[in-house]
Structures are given as C-alpha cells and as structure tokens.
C-alpha cells in the first residue's frame, strides 16, 4: 500500500470545563510512513502524550477530539466506536507506556500473558502459542527466553520487563507502535538498549513508531523525523538530521541545548527560562513568546502557523517571507 501509514490532520482535542472548553491540542498535523520512527518531543504539558493517546483512542474523558482527522492505512479511525477502536488497538496499533508494570498482570506468568494475547489475535494451539511466545521474547532480547516463560513479571528486572511488554505489543503483529516515554523509568544504560531494540524492530519488521519523549537526545539517536510540540501545537517538524543540525524554532534550539548526555545531571538541563503555559493561560500570538529570546513585536499578537524554515517547517515569525 502506498501513502503514509498514519495521517493526523488538524487535530483538535478539548477538555470541557465549566469555564468553557480548554484546548489541549490545536491544529496538530503530521504523518508517519511505514517503517518510520517519528519522535514527538516537548516538555511536560506540551501535548505530546495527548497526541499519542488521541491516535490510540485512549484519551481520558472528558477529553475528546473536537475536530480534525486521524487516518490509519488510509481509513479514518478518529470516529470509530470503542469496540472497533479496541480491536484496532490490540491488533494493528500497539501501545507501550513508561511503567511496564501497568501493562503486565502480576498474578500471571509472562508465558500465560503472551499465549493468551497471541491466541486472541490469531487462533492457534497453546503449544504453538508457547513456541511463538518464546520466539517473541528472544526477539526482544531476553536471554534464555523459553526458560523464562513460566516466570512472573516481578522476577524480571525493569529493563527486561519492558522487553516483555514490547514482546506483548508485538504479539498482534502491529503496523504501528505508540511508545510513550518507554524508557523514562529505566536506568540510563538500559534506556539505550531498549531504544536500540525499538530501532531494530522498526528496521527489521517495517514497524512504524510514534515515540513520545521529552528527550531530544533520544530523538537524535532513534528517530527519522521529529515533531517538536509546544502548548498543544507543532512548533517544528522535519527530518531529525535537519532539525538537530539547524533548529529553526527557538524552542527547538532551547531543547537542543538541553540534550541530556549520559554524564550530565538532569537538574542542569533546563536551559529554557520559564515554563510551559497552562492550558487556561496560553498567551496570545506565539505561545512561546514570553520565553523566547528572539521575540519581537509581532510575536505577542499574531500566531504563526507552520511555514517553510530551512529544510524543515517551523511555526515562527523569524521564517516569514522577508524575515523578522
Ligand atoms: Fe520566538 Fe517570535 Fe518565533 Fe515565537 S514567533 S518562536 S516568539 S521569534
């Protein structure tokens, strides 16, 4: 099939409140090709996790998609009912979250959980499913996979548990994995191994990945393209090489300055003054203008849309025709 696997167009997510709707995502558009890893990056409150949740049909009520479209394999999915969305999610779109324990049942062996998931997706005997379960654990890098089928989740380390979650996610042979901060809870050395695993699975299986992260370093290591989010909107989008080499949006430049390294203390990473605005206090004009070192008069009252900016696209008036 040609065309992107996932197309998100002008997505708007709102939370109704007594004081009126709070707009949490506003005009978010991007697509993901087959076999591509798109990083969605930003600080806490930027809307990156909400974007993943909206695509997966997992928005917490009362949050809802107010307008826009999400297409998967060319088919519109934002208007599917809960049952159809659950079927799609189990089989074609898989999710991986920060805490592997939320995805695993502590009372069942990992073998049982994998076998049940495999049999839900593809009718097969228990013996066949156990063989396939061992293969999946091996594929995700669990040593002595067959012998570990009868272990319980608590018998695995954090990193190994996340590998089990990835094996479970792969059981339905999904085309898209939405991974929301999948390594944040893990040790730094284990984080790199899990990211390598996602990269290898994308390459070997042609798997598309929407990777939600706050970490530009992870994006630079793992992703093909990146969408930088700020205050519920896409601030910049482009190929990772282009965006990291020459960030076009001052917010991206700030995040780049905050790339964590294996050796730097995270406390020292916040190099952008101020903080993400609350949903009920998003400034007029460019939402980043109160924090932007390059803001000028126009920024405070006119909101920039994405526009060509070097090799990427950025929502920043510095790139309007004729310059600032
Ligand atoms: Fe900064 Fe203005 Fe660009 Fe916003 S539009 S990022 S305030 S220069």
């Amino acid at each position: 099939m040609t065309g992107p696997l996932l197309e998100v167009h002008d997505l708007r997510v709102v939370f109704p409140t007594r004081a009126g709707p709070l707009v949490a995502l506003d005009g978010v558009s991007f697509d993901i090709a087959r076999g591509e890893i798109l990083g969605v990056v930003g600080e806490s409150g930027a809307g990156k996790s909400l974007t993943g949740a909206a695509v997966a049909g997992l928005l917490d009520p009362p949050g809802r998609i107010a307008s826009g479209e999400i297409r998967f394999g060319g088919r519109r999915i934002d208007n599917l009912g809960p049952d159809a969305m659950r079927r799609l999610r189990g089989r074609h779109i898989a999710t991986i979250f920060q805490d592997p324990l939320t995805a695993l049942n502590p009372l069942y062996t990992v073998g049982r959980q994998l076998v049940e998931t495999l049999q839900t997706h593809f009718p097969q005997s228990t013996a066949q499913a156990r063989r396939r379960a061992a293969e999946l654990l091996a594929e995700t890098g669990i040593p002595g996979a067959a012998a570990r089928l009868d272990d319980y989740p608590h018998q695995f380390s954090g990193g190994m548990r996340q590998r089990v979650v990835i094996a479970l996610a792969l059981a339905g042979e999904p085309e898209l994995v939405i991974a929301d901060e999948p390594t944040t809870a893990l040790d730094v050395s284990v984080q790199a191994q899990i990211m390598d695993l996602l990269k290898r699975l994308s390459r070997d299986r042609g798997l598309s990945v929407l990777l939600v992260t706050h970490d530009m370093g992870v994006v630079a290591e793992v992703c093909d393209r990146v969408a930088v989010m700020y205050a519920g909107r896409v601030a910049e989008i482009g190929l990772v090489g282009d965006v990291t080499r020459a960030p076009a949006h001052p917010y991206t430049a700030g995040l780049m300055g905050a790339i964590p390294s294996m050796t730097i203390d995270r406390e020292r990473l916040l190099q952008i003054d101020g903080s993400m605005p609350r949903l009920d206090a998003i400034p007029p004009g460019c939402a980043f203008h109160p924090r932007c070192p390059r803001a000028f008069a126009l920024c405070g009252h006119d909101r920039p849309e994405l526009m060509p900016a070097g090799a990427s696209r950025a929502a920043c008036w510095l790139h309007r025709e004729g310059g600032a």
Side-chain angles (χ1 to χ4, degrees):
M1 194 188 292
T2 56
L5 177 67
L6 180 75
E7 297 160 272
V8 175
H9 180 67
D10 210 10
L11 184 66
R12 189 175 165 91
V13 167
V14 300
F15 285 81
T17 69
R18 271 199 216 122
L22 285 183
V23 181
L25 294 182
D26 192 4
V28 171
S29 298
F30 61 86
D31 51 32
I32 304 183
R34 288 165 197 277
E36 182 178 53
I37 306 182
L38 175 80
V40 178
V41 69
E43 295 163 289
S44 170
K48 54 193 193 306
S49 289
L50 267 185
T51 302
V55 171
L58 289 174
L59 283 175
D60 284 330
R64 64 179 182 86
I65 295 175
S67 59
E69 272 188 21
I70 304 173
R71 288 182 180 270
F72 181 76
R75 174 180 164 222
R76 199 158 167 197
I77 62 167
D78 56 276
N79 53 4
L80 292 180
D83 288 343
M85 198 63 216
R86 200 172 303 121
R87 281 195 296 275
L88 184 76
R89 196 164 53 235
R91 173 74 178 77
H92 299 280
I93 300 178
T95 51
I96 302 169
F97 295 106
Q98 181 171 331
D99 182 0
L101 285 177
T102 59
L104 296 170
N105 186 329
L107 302 177
Y108 293 162
T109 65
V110 301
R112 176 170 174 182
Q113 296 180 58
L114 278 162
V115 164
E116 284 180 358
T117 307
L118 284 161
Q119 288 179 320
T120 305
H121 295 311
F122 308 105
Q124 58 195 296
S125 71
T126 301
Q128 281 173 323
R130 266 185 80 87
R131 271 198 300 280
R132 183 74 193 117
E135 284 169 14
L136 283 170
L137 288 184
E139 190 179 351
T140 54
I142 295 188
R148 302 225 55 188
L149 286 175
D150 296 318
D151 286 348
Y152 289 85
H154 74 266
Q155 293 173 284
F156 291 79
S157 67
M160 287 295 155
R161 266 200 295 266
Q162 196 59 302
R163 289 176 194 267
V164 173
V165 171
I166 294 172
L168 265 175
L170 295 178
E173 309 277 337
E175 291 105 307
L176 174 68
V177 168
I178 298 172
D180 189 344
E181 304 274 14
T183 62
T184 305
L186 304 174
D187 291 347
V188 170
S189 60
V190 181
Q191 287 180 13
Q193 293 167 14
I194 297 288
M195 286 301 166
D196 281 349
L197 172 62
L198 281 178
K199 207 167 155 177
R200 177 166 60 74
L201 291 171
S202 169
R203 194 186 55 221
D204 295 352
R205 289 177 163 251
L207 191 67
S208 305
V209 181
L210 190 164
L211 177 64
V212 171
T213 176
H214 63 280
D215 188 334
M216 268 311 253
V218 164
V219 167
E221 282 292 315
V222 181
C223 299
D224 301 301
R225 281 191 308 131
V226 58
V228 179
M229 292 198 66
Y230 190 81
R233 295 170 62 83
V234 175
E236 179 167 0
I237 186 164
L239 292 171
V240 163
D242 295 331
V243 173
T244 54
R245 219 177 1 261
H249 195 287
Y251 179 60
T252 314
L255 286 180
M256 291 297 301
I259 280 191
S261 86
M262 300 289 173
T263 52
I264 298 177
D265 183 345
R266 279 177 186 270
E267 297 301 310
R268 290 178 44 215
L269 298 178
L270 290 177
Q271 297 183 7
I272 310 170
D273 287 338
S275 56
M276 182 75 60
R278 292 198 332 249
L279 290 184
D280 60 355
I282 293 180
C286 172
F288 188 56
H289 84 262
R291 303 173 71 188
C292 182
R294 302 192 60 189
F296 56 103
L298 180 63
C299 306
H301 48 86
D302 281 6
R303 191 169 79 174
E305 301 297 332
L306 283 173
M307 58 190 90
S312 59
R313 289 165 61 75
C316 171
W317 289 126
L318 293 172
H319 302 283
R320 68 181 169 160
E321 263 177 60

